[in-house]
Amino acid sequence: MIHSRNLPFVTTLAIFIIAYALCAIQFPAMLSTRVIGNLLVDNAFLGIAAVGMTFVILSGGIDLSIGSVIAFTSVFVAVTVGTLGLHPLTAFALVLVISTAFGSAMGAMIRYLQIPPFVVTLAGMFLARGAAYLISTQSVPISHPFLDTIQGFYFRFPGGGRLTAMSMLMIAVFIIGGIIAARTRFGANVYALGGNPQSAELMGVPVGRTTIGIYATSGFLSGLAGIAYTLYTSSGYSLATVGVELDAIAAVVIGGTLLTGGTGLIAGTFIGILIQGLIQTYIVFDGTLSSWWTKIVIGILLFVFIVLQRGIIWYSNRRIDIARLKGV
Amino acid sequence: MSDPQNILEAKAIAKSFLGNVALDNVDFSLRRGEIHALLGENGAGKSTLIKILTGVYSRDSGTIRLDGEDVSPANVGEAQVLGIGTVYQEVNLLENLTVAENLFLGRQPRRFGLTDRREMRRRSRDLLARYGLDIDVDALLSTYSVAIRQIIAIARAVDLSGKVLVLDEPTASLDAQEVEVLFSVLRKLKADGLGIILITHFLNQVYAVADRVTVLRNGRLVGSRDIDGLPRMELISMMLGRELQHVTRDHQASEGDVPTGEAAIHFNDYGKRGSISPFDLAIRPGEVVGIAGLLGSGRSETAFLLFGIDRADSGTATVDGSEISLTSPEAAIANGFGFCPEERKSDGIIGDFSVAENIALALQARQGWAKPIPSRQRQALAAEFIRSLDIRPADPDRPIKFLSGGNQQKAILARWLATNPRLLILDEPTRGIDIGAHAEILKMIEKLCTEGMSLVVISSELEELTAIAHRVIVLSDRKHIAELSGADVTADNIMHAIAAPNRTEAA
Ligand SMILES: Nc1ncnc2c1ncn2[C@@H]1O[C@H](COP(=O)(O)OP(=O)(O)OP(=O)(O)O)[C@@H](O)[C@H]1O
Ligand SMILES: [Mg+2]
């Protein structure tokens, strides 16, 4: 039996499969591994960031700082490696420490000052963007033998598609994120907070530690996404990735996670990313459509999904009432 | 000097919320292997004391010793590590998790560092089996009834408590049989040397299991006494600080004031397959119809049908001779019906709204949101119910979440009374309400009935039914199996009717 809480995920999966099948009928080339490989690379940084966003939304919060943190990271890495001559690994480690600390600080403010996440992370968004401008307002190209090695590393699928380092990183993040959410105490606490913070507290969930952990995770993954983005574009630019947090939220919601928190799966977000990638790919194949159609279709999908989730909640509540009547 | 017999000792505990004193210099001690009842009126400070002992609130002053050691748990998790397991008065569990996840949240069995789901399921089943519960532990908690959730919460707390178990009104949604199961578990735990604190408003239960009682009043300690040789009347006056008039009322309804005249509301052959067999019910103005039966006998289902939460698939409903269709609660409200559900504790409260706003809510909904109730009228309404139901503190502007559990419940009751319905359906109206307020509420209900309101009361407390109902319908196996009226409405007769399910229409 499908658990009613997994129903949104199953629906998303079904929609993705059907949509992909329809696309493939129209453009059989979309089945090629090359297309799939590109779809993964193009969305790797977004996928990594969306995993962090899934944790945040599962806990009933929101993180608006993601896009800015990605931009900050890319500028930071570009400048420290390109201008200051730091080894990329050192730069990566530094920027991950910074972004994680940044996320933790936001989590601490949310918990201890009782400020809504929306407000705290909105401030974080401006702060990180401003910090990126401070470092450089130019687009800073970056090149380093070590980065070339990473960029040149990939597995070749039969059919010519490539699974690049960044795609592998994204997939690894999804797998680890999925395990953390489903199989650790921290993960269970995240769901608990999203379900009902008061009850969670009375059940002994360490609310402060968990909240800080959630935003730290999101900060860390934003940093990681920033690194992936830097590798993807081979540059750092403080004006880049504006609004990426909204794409991440869209992927999370389309993936079946309730915006109110407490219900959803990391795997759902993966499908959400794939659906977005599929739409982009379709537009490329069609050739006549403007790329803005991506936004329009995602907008429509979001509406559909939110309505669908409402419907499912309504339906399962009804079923629960009936089940109760039958004395279960 | 602390007594080595005591597992828990609290001295001179004080707590105030924004200048309002909730606890004033309270001492409390709990021995090993005893069940200690903590009693007091609504708002006396019982839950506050518990929350201080278990790390939810920080105390303003005082000391807590557990097993001879000073402790200061800073949160519930720390209290759990110290061996204190608690069922709080509020909703305790998470509806979005499965039963097993709820039972083991924060202490999931692990293998190789990851949650071992299979082991968790197995242990969950074992744990619940001790309470005679055989349910799917992988189902979401939200699929189960309040009573089952309550048992799950208790099972979790018992499993967590190495030294002290605290139960804040655990029996509020359990029926007599389930209470008995709980008590036998408690007696066993007590024999194992656990210290148990029990908060309840049911004095029968206190006398059934408790060894000692501590009574609080207005945040002060009244005293601690052994239950043996403590007369009930004395206990009650310790709680209220005065004598209670007519605690055990006689059955007044039978003394000739049974409403006569034409029934205005009729349900004919009304039923829903799989939920409740078709029944006939005619309710006169001013009449109180009681509904009795064991849990799962169809009590709440009857209410759901009457209020349009479920749609009937047979029969008709008529009001004043014209047929109405109860397809939704809105339709029922439009016909002047009101319903105060059993789950009001978790669902009914809007915590950040003031007491006055919470009371005015149903009235507002009936008028439509476009026409706001003027605030003067709302204050007057609130003031009236705060007085008549004795809601404390008597401040209509206080956010309701700062009221004690019992006082919140009175406010929800007031919400429905304020709509002045012609038929009011009350599911367990006095659960969690103290014995003084209980009498007030019954008095209020009687007054409303003399003004012509009809009432359907569902209750598992037979004394409550016999005190107010003119007529009692007994349910069993989702059928209306007996109807008692007038002088036949006695606790004994109801018990017999429940126990003899095959009897047909009596009286
Ligand atoms: N969080 C809070 N903020 C402000 N006041 C509070 C808070 N919690 C409780 N109080 C106040 O403290 C007093 C004691 O409340 P408490 O909940 O301890 O009562 P109680 O004895 O448990 O009553 P009941 O039987 O109704 O559950 C009440 O006057 C209540 O309004
Ligand atoms: Mg209380």
Side-chain angles (χ1 to χ4, degrees):
Chain A
M1 193 195 97
I2 300 167
H3 231 295
S4 68
R5 75 170 158 175
N6 292 341
L7 212 57
F9 170 70
V10 175
T11 319
T12 309
L13 189 61
I15 288 182
F16 172 69
I17 292 172
I18 292 168
Y20 194 37
L22 290 177
C23 291
I25 290 169
Q26 199 181 348
F27 303 111
M30 275 181 77
L31 284 172
S32 81
T33 54
R34 213 180 278 260
V35 171
I36 296 171
N38 284 343
L39 193 158
L40 292 177
V41 185
D42 291 343
N43 290 286
F45 78 96
L46 178 61
I48 294 169
V51 172
M53 185 65 94
T54 313
F55 278 102
V56 173
I57 291 183
L58 277 177
S59 77
I62 195 95
D63 185 351
L64 299 178
S65 71
I66 287 178
S68 304
V69 173
I70 293 176
F72 171 81
T73 308
S74 76
V75 175
F76 183 91
V77 170
V79 169
T80 49
V81 174
T83 318
L84 304 180
L86 239 54
H87 189 273
L89 276 182
T90 322
F92 291 170
L94 263 177
V95 83
L96 287 178
V97 168
I98 294 173
S99 63
T100 310
F102 183 67
S104 315
M106 289 195 298
M109 285 179 71
I110 290 166
R111 167 63 186 163
Y112 296 109
L113 304 182
Q114 298 283 316
I115 307 174
F118 187 91
V119 178
V120 172
T121 60
L122 187 69
M125 174 176 109
F126 287 119
L127 201 70
R129 185 70 66 181
Y133 288 146
L134 272 188
I135 299 176
S136 168
T137 47
Q138 311 286 309
S139 173
V140 186
I142 175 176
S143 85
H144 189 281
F146 177 75
L147 297 182
D148 295 341
T149 323
I150 302 180
Q151 281 162 333
F153 179 80
Y154 56 81
F155 284 118
R156 190 181 288 277
F157 292 126
R162 291 172 177 185
L163 186 66
T164 63
M166 277 168 298
S167 309
M168 285 186 265
L169 180 65
M170 170 178 77
I171 291 171
V173 166
F174 268 105
I175 292 174
I176 295 171
I179 293 173
I180 290 177
R183 299 290 295 276
T184 64
R185 289 187 183 171
F186 173 74
N189 291 343
V190 172
Y191 282 92
L193 277 187
N196 181 339
Q198 282 82 33
S199 296
E201 185 160 12
L202 292 182
M203 287 172 84
V205 169
V207 180
R209 187 146 45 90
T210 310
T211 308
I212 293 173
I214 289 164
Y215 288 89
T217 306
S218 179
F220 173 83
L221 289 175
S222 303
L224 203 61
I227 293 172
Y229 184 75
T230 316
L231 289 169
Y232 178 60
T233 59
S234 297
S235 69
Y237 185 32
S238 49
L239 278 176
T241 62
V242 172
V244 160
E245 56 278 347
L246 304 181
D247 293 332
I249 294 172
V252 173
V253 173
I254 292 176
T257 299
L258 291 189
L259 260 179
T260 45
T263 309
L265 294 173
I266 300 282
T269 303
F270 188 62
I271 309 288
I273 292 284
L274 291 185
I275 289 182
Q276 292 198 17
L278 186 70
I279 299 167
Q280 288 157 359
T281 313
Y282 180 86
I283 287 166
V284 170
F285 266 74
D286 184 274
T288 61
L289 293 172
S290 140
S291 70
W292 286 104
W293 277 102
T294 318
K295 304 280 177 208
I296 293 172
V297 176
I298 288 174
I300 293 171
L301 271 185
L302 271 177
F303 271 121
V304 169
F305 270 85
I306 290 169
V307 170
L308 194 79
Q309 289 180 358
R310 282 277 123 213
I312 289 169
I313 292 172
W314 177 84
Y315 174 77
S316 61
N317 282 348
R318 197 142 179 104
R319 238 190 24 190
I320 287 163
D321 283 344
I322 293 169
R324 277 196 201 147
L325 290 180
K326 297 195 177 115
V328 178
Chain B
M1 192 55 234
S2 78
D3 182 346
Q5 252 201 342
N6 287 339
I7 185 136
L8 184 73
E9 245 173 20
K11 283 246 156 42
I13 302 289
K15 174 78 187 172
S16 39
F17 294 103
L18 307 169
N20 298 312
V21 178
L23 287 176
D24 181 9
N25 205 15
V26 170
D27 295 337
F28 178 80
S29 67
L30 177 70
R31 297 189 189 130
R32 278 166 229 284
E34 83 165 347
I35 299 179
H36 194 132
L38 185 56
L39 304 179
E41 287 178 290
N42 294 132
K46 306 178 294 291
S47 301
T48 305
L49 178 59
I50 292 311
K51 287 186 174 169
I52 285 175
L53 295 178
T54 57
V56 182
Y57 294 154
S58 59
R59 55 189 185 269
D60 296 345
S61 62
T63 56
I64 304 172
R65 288 169 86 84
L66 180 73
D67 243 352
E69 310 248 344
D70 276 331
V71 294
S72 283
N75 54 48
V76 179
E78 285 184 31
Q80 288 172 354
V81 171
L82 290 170
I84 307 177
T86 314
V87 175
Y88 296 93
Q89 189 175 9
E90 296 90 340
V91 207
N92 267 282
L93 300 172
L94 292 157
E95 298 197 358
N96 61 323
L97 302 185
T98 67
V99 173
E101 285 165 348
N102 267 292
L103 283 169
F104 285 95
L105 184 67
R107 54 198 191 101
Q108 294 89 339
R110 287 188 285 200
R111 256 179 92 207
F112 311 120
L114 296 180
T115 305
D116 184 349
R117 292 183 161 270
R118 187 179 317 169
E119 174 72 7
M120 193 163 90
R121 277 197 284 271
R122 194 186 61 72
R123 285 207 224 158
S124 300
R125 275 191 293 266
D126 289 354
L127 195 58
L128 294 178
R130 274 181 248 161
Y131 300 82
L133 215 54
D134 180 19
I135 57 174
D136 176 9
V137 296
D138 271 333
L140 290 183
L141 186 83
S142 55
T143 50
Y144 293 107
S145 66
V146 208
I148 289 179
R149 291 184 204 185
Q150 188 98 47
I151 295 174
I152 295 168
I154 293 169
R156 175 182 156 89
V158 168
D159 204 41
L160 270 169
S161 55
K163 292 174 180 166
V164 174
L165 173 64
V166 185
L167 302 172
D168 194 348
E169 297 192 31
T171 57
S173 22
L174 302 185
D175 69 14
Q177 213 175 333
E178 289 162 331
V179 169
E180 217 17 77
V181 173
L182 171 63
F183 284 179
S184 65
V185 171
L186 293 188
R187 290 192 189 100
K188 206 180 126 299
L189 293 171
K190 163 179 144 176
D192 295 343
L194 207 71
I196 300 170
I197 303 173
L198 176 69
I199 297 179
T200 177
H201 290 291
F202 296 103
L203 292 190
N204 292 342
Q205 297 178 355
V206 173
Y207 279 92
V209 286
D211 303 300
R212 271 203 305 163
V213 294
T214 290
V215 177
L216 299 181
R217 190 167 67 232
N218 291 332
R220 293 209 185 79
L221 177 71
V222 177
S224 292
R225 299 273 294 270
D226 284 333
I227 199 82
D228 280 338
L230 177 63
R232 196 177 273 249
M233 278 305 165
E234 196 177 331
L235 179 56
I236 291 172
S237 51
M238 276 172 86
M239 285 163 59
L240 301 187
R242 59 185 155 88
E243 304 288 317
L244 182 77
Q245 286 96 34
H246 49 247
V247 196
T248 48
R249 303 147 160 279
D250 289 328
H251 182 240
Q252 306 182 330
S254 64
E255 326 281 276
D257 62 344
V258 182
T260 46
E262 260 318 285
I265 302 171
H266 286 270
F267 294 91
N268 287 322
D269 196 29
Y270 214 63
K272 177 173 160 44
R273 220 167 310 129
S275 164
I276 185 98
S277 315
F279 58 88
D280 291 332
L281 183 61
I283 309 167
R284 299 184 190 92
E287 190 177 33
V288 180
V289 178
I291 296 192
L294 299 177
L295 205 81
S297 60
R299 291 183 320 204
S300 297
E301 289 78 349
T302 303
F304 289 171
L305 268 192
L306 299 185
F307 196 60
I309 296 171
D310 281 331
R311 287 192 199 188
D313 57 12
S314 74
T316 56
T318 53
V319 170
D320 296 331
S322 52
E323 186 166 336
I324 57 169
S325 86
L326 294 172
T327 49
S328 67
E330 290 78 15
I333 291 173
N335 280 296
F337 291 11
F339 178 43
C340 191
E342 187 184 2
E343 276 183 75
R344 59 191 175 272
K345 193 155 122 186
S346 49
D347 297 339
I349 303 267
I350 303 186
D352 289 318
F353 278 28
S354 71
V355 174
E357 284 164 330
N358 268 287
I359 291 177
L361 209 59
L363 193 61
Q364 180 72 74
R366 200 177 61 185
Q367 287 199 354
W369 296 99
K371 279 184 287 170
I373 296 176
S375 83
R376 177 143 20 108
Q377 190 191 339
R378 193 172 64 205
Q379 295 306 63
L381 193 75
E384 180 195 329
F385 281 103
I386 286 174
R387 189 170 32 76
S388 58
L389 294 180
D390 190 21
I391 296 173
R392 284 186 239 175
D395 173 6
D397 298 322
R398 182 175 296 229
I400 200 167
K401 65 180 174 193
F402 295 147
L403 263 59
S404 78
N407 283 303
Q408 291 180 358
Q409 226 154 297
K410 292 187 213 166
I412 300 298
L413 189 62
R415 175 189 296 172
W416 287 104
L417 294 175
T419 62
N420 201 8
R422 62 184 300 171
L423 173 66
L424 181 60
I425 304 158
L426 299 174
D427 199 350
E428 303 290 358
T430 55
R431 284 280 162 97
I433 285 176
D434 72 51
I435 191 161
H438 190 266
E440 295 297 321
I441 286 175
L442 295 190
K443 216 156 60 186
M444 171 111 185
I445 286 174
E446 265 163 24
K447 182 174 140 268
L448 288 167
C449 288
T450 55
E451 290 166 8
M453 182 180 79
S454 311
L455 198 65
V456 171
V457 179
I458 300 169
S459 177
S460 18
E461 281 165 83
L462 300 185
E463 292 82 33
E464 183 170 301
L465 286 179
T466 55
I468 54 171
H470 303 106
R471 210 152 35 106
V472 171
I473 292 169
V474 180
L475 303 192
S476 171
D477 280 336
R478 298 165 188 287
K479 272 208 238 0
H480 288 205
I481 53 161
E483 184 172 320
L484 305 164
S485 58
D488 286 339
V489 179
T490 64
D492 269 356
N493 282 349
I494 299 175
M495 291 274 266
H496 277 119
I498 291 175
N502 291 328
R503 227 169 72 176
T504 41
E505 294 285 309

